[in-house]
Amino acid sequence: MDRFKRTEIKYQDPNERINNFNEVCYGYTEEECIIEAKRCLQCKNPQCVKMCPVNIDIPAFIHKLADNNPKESAEELFKYTTLPAVCGRVCPQESQCEMTCILGRKGEPIAIGKLERYAGDYALKNGIRLTKNAKNNGKKVAVVGSGPSGITCSADLAKLGYDVTMLESLHEAGGVLTYGIPEFRLPKDAVVKREIENIKSLGVKIKLNTIVGRTVTVDELLDEYDAVFIGTGAGLPVFMNIPGENYNGVFSANEYLTRTNLMKAYLEDTATPIRVGVNTVVVGAGNVAMDAARTARRFGSNVTVVYRREDKDMPARREEIENAKEEGINFMFLTNPVEILADENGDVNKVRCIKMELGEPDASGRQRPVKIEGSEFEIEADVVIMALGTRPNPLIKETSTGIKFNEKGGIIVNEGEKTSRDYVYAGGDVVTGSATVIEAMGAGKKAAKAIDEALSK
């Protein structure tokens, strides 16, 4: 075994996977998992744990895998995380836990994410459940939203004996795990639905088709529940405000992915088909942009990703970028749309772009893209997908009293995720704006702790 070389993992062939929505990465076999787990140095002061938003004891769960004991490894993970099979697939480990792995200084870091996936999948396949460690305490908490932050908050409170009800506006639970992340990256039946069933086994109730702000308000929830956690995410799409964004064939990435993932537009017999372009342009370079681009590719479209900075500046996970390139997706860097053009029927047919160059650093420390005057050109496109980030839906802001919001519509909270209103807490993208699954989970965990402290007084 080469301690500094990561155990290779198998992926579906790019020429095959662009024709289906099956999971791209196959995951480790038992033998591969053990080999990779044995690379771990079992550091006495593991920096990887400090970089994990939910502070998983990473050496401990990996040690169990190295001993070929995936059951105990999964049980170790469940002490800290509610969604190991999900996080093992979609979390940006390369910029969190794996970034500080000692082995990465001389070679390749431990594949922490792939090992977490293995243990999480083992738990799902073998019926290993989250365990409740307290009797019912008679107190009720409403959790608004069934995405990563809501699921985590619900599970942690249920373990402590609270009567928890999750309220979900859509007809299926899971939030962004269900409607946002594509099937080929996060299988719904095999992973997401099973993880949610695990939550329900703790006694958590889920009310679907319940829009907080319409069906019921936060104020009304406080009449029935002892505390409320708001984890509604950030579902309001951001557009460029350039001419032509209202033409037929222009989607927000949110709508495009929701139609595909939740409404099953990728199935042949779907009742909710989606517009398939011969040429699709995706604007943006984050994980959502990669998801939208790779989804369009599977529909048979020729896809071009347009990004105003360079390859090295792309915020998407490097694995997703490389997978996209393998699948034949084109990348046009230092380029930005200035107008969307259409035919006489209002159907998109071109995107007018301008070349960019990188100038002085902006507030984030990155070089600011600057237009190169006179460099406009046009790209053929009959579908355009805007993947430029999201903001919180204003519905709760418009229908709640005593809760303060920032200028971007996010809920303002303290270090314990408490809002300006007593017994109302919030976390995840509704507070921070677009972020990662694991960061939202970390917020849900902090809020559960704070709610328990407030209601235990």
Side-chain angles (χ1 to χ4, degrees):
M1 177 184 72
D2 183 349
R3 181 150 325 250
F4 296 104
K5 185 173 174 58
R6 179 175 287 192
T7 306
E8 289 189 13
I9 198 164
K10 296 180 180 63
Y11 292 81
Q12 191 184 166
D13 182 87
N15 294 320
E16 294 178 4
R17 69 189 192 227
I18 60 172
N19 297 308
N20 65 62
F21 278 77
N22 299 331
E23 189 165 16
V24 168
C25 180
Y26 290 130
Y28 279 138
T29 64
E30 178 183 298
E31 181 183 2
E32 290 166 345
C33 172
I34 293 170
I35 292 171
E36 180 62 18
K38 285 184 175 180
R39 290 179 61 222
C40 180
L41 298 174
Q42 294 294 310
C43 302
K44 291 182 179 179
N45 183 25
Q47 298 302 304
C48 55
V49 176
K50 297 176 183 177
M51 288 294 288
C52 175
V54 295
N55 299 121
I56 293 171
D57 189 341
I58 293 168
F61 96 80
I62 291 179
H63 180 68
K64 302 291 186 184
L65 291 177
D67 286 346
N68 196 20
N69 196 336
K71 178 177 181 294
E72 289 188 10
S73 179
E75 290 169 345
E76 183 68 33
L77 281 166
F78 280 147
K79 294 177 184 177
Y80 307 91
T81 175
T82 309
L83 302 166
V86 168
C87 288
R89 287 171 165 83
V90 304
C91 287
Q93 292 92 4
E94 68 274 12
S95 61
Q96 293 178 335
C97 53
E98 293 178 8
M99 185 174 71
T100 56
C101 178
I102 298 298
L103 288 175
R105 295 180 182 179
K106 292 186 177 181
E108 296 177 295
I110 295 290
I112 297 171
K114 298 295 189 286
L115 293 176
E116 182 181 10
R117 168 185 167 168
Y118 183 90
D121 284 356
Y122 183 91
L124 293 178
K125 292 173 184 175
N126 292 277
I128 300 170
R129 297 288 191 184
L130 294 161
T131 54
K132 196 166 184 174
N133 51 14
K135 294 182 179 179
N136 289 346
N137 59 24
K139 294 181 179 178
K140 298 169 63 178
V141 178
V143 173
V144 185
S146 65
S149 65
I151 286 173
T152 301
C153 186
S154 296
D156 281 16
L157 288 171
K159 290 176 186 177
L160 294 170
Y162 289 88
D163 180 350
V164 182
T165 300
M166 274 200 299
L167 309 171
E168 169 56 49
S169 63
L170 297 174
H171 62 275
E172 285 189 32
V176 70
L177 307 178
T178 297
Y179 70 74
I181 302 173
E183 184 79 15
F184 56 81
R185 208 154 68 85
L186 183 63
K188 309 308 172 211
D189 289 339
V191 178
V192 178
K193 289 182 179 179
R194 289 190 185 185
E195 295 273 46
I196 291 170
E197 286 302 313
N198 207 352
I199 309 304
K200 291 164 71 174
S201 72
L202 291 172
V204 174
K205 298 181 284 292
I206 303 176
K207 281 188 177 182
L208 302 174
N209 304 306
T210 304
I211 304 175
V212 175
R214 288 288 182 267
T215 312
V216 64
T217 65
V218 172
D219 296 8
E220 290 169 338
L221 288 175
L222 285 169
D223 292 335
E224 182 180 353
Y225 296 89
D226 297 289
V228 174
F229 173 76
I230 302 171
T232 48
L236 189 67
V238 173
F239 287 89
M240 294 186 70
N241 296 318
I242 58 175
E245 282 185 309
N246 289 325
Y247 284 136
N248 302 324
V250 180
F251 293 86
S252 70
N254 271 38
E255 179 188 357
Y256 192 83
L257 292 171
T258 300
R259 282 174 175 268
T260 304
N261 301 326
L262 182 65
M263 309 306 291
K264 310 297 184 187
Y266 62 89
L267 298 177
E268 290 184 7
D269 59 349
T270 182
T272 56
I274 197 168
R275 183 184 182 114
V276 175
V278 175
N279 296 296
T280 297
V281 168
V282 177
V283 184
N287 288 322
V288 174
M290 294 306 101
D291 287 344
R294 297 175 67 198
T295 295
R297 184 77 179 103
R298 281 159 174 74
F299 283 132
S301 185
N302 176 46
V303 183
T304 300
V305 172
V306 173
Y307 182 46
R308 61 183 185 158
R309 288 187 165 95
E310 297 178 330
D311 188 329
K312 63 180 176 60
D313 301 312
M314 295 176 73
R317 294 182 66 194
R318 186 48 54 175
E319 180 181 21
E320 306 309 323
I321 296 169
E322 295 307 320
N323 283 342
K325 290 178 177 178
E326 291 171 357
E327 291 164 10
I329 290 169
N330 308 304
F331 288 82
M332 194 170 286
F333 298 108
L334 293 172
T335 302
N336 212 31
V338 293
E339 184 179 3
I340 298 170
L341 307 176
D343 61 20
E344 64 276 7
N345 298 316
D347 293 320
V348 171
N349 60 13
K350 291 179 182 178
V351 179
R352 180 170 292 142
C353 298
I354 192 167
K355 284 292 183 183
M356 312 290 284
E357 59 185 356
L358 297 179
E360 295 299 315
D362 58 19
S364 69
R366 295 194 298 173
Q367 287 180 278
R368 185 190 302 275
V370 179
K371 294 179 181 179
I372 300 175
E373 297 301 332
S375 64
E376 291 89 346
F377 65 100
E378 294 175 355
I379 309 172
E380 298 285 336
D382 44 359
V383 168
V384 177
I385 304 171
M386 295 292 184
L388 302 166
T390 53
R391 291 185 176 182
N393 190 302
L395 188 56
I396 286 181
K397 180 180 179 180
E398 295 168 356
T399 59
S400 305
T401 57
I403 301 174
K404 293 182 179 179
F405 296 78
N406 62 31
E407 66 280 358
K408 292 185 177 180
I411 297 176
I412 297 172
V413 298
N414 66 13
E415 291 182 359
E417 309 297 322
K418 182 184 177 299
T419 72
S420 52
R421 183 165 182 177
D422 287 344
Y423 302 108
V424 178
Y425 298 76
D429 290 5
V430 73
V431 171
T432 62
S434 300
T436 65
V437 168
I438 192 67
E439 286 171 327
M441 290 175 64
K445 184 172 284 290
K446 281 202 298 183
K449 184 174 183 290
I451 290 170
D452 179 51
E453 289 173 354
L455 296 182
S456 298
K457 291 178 181 178

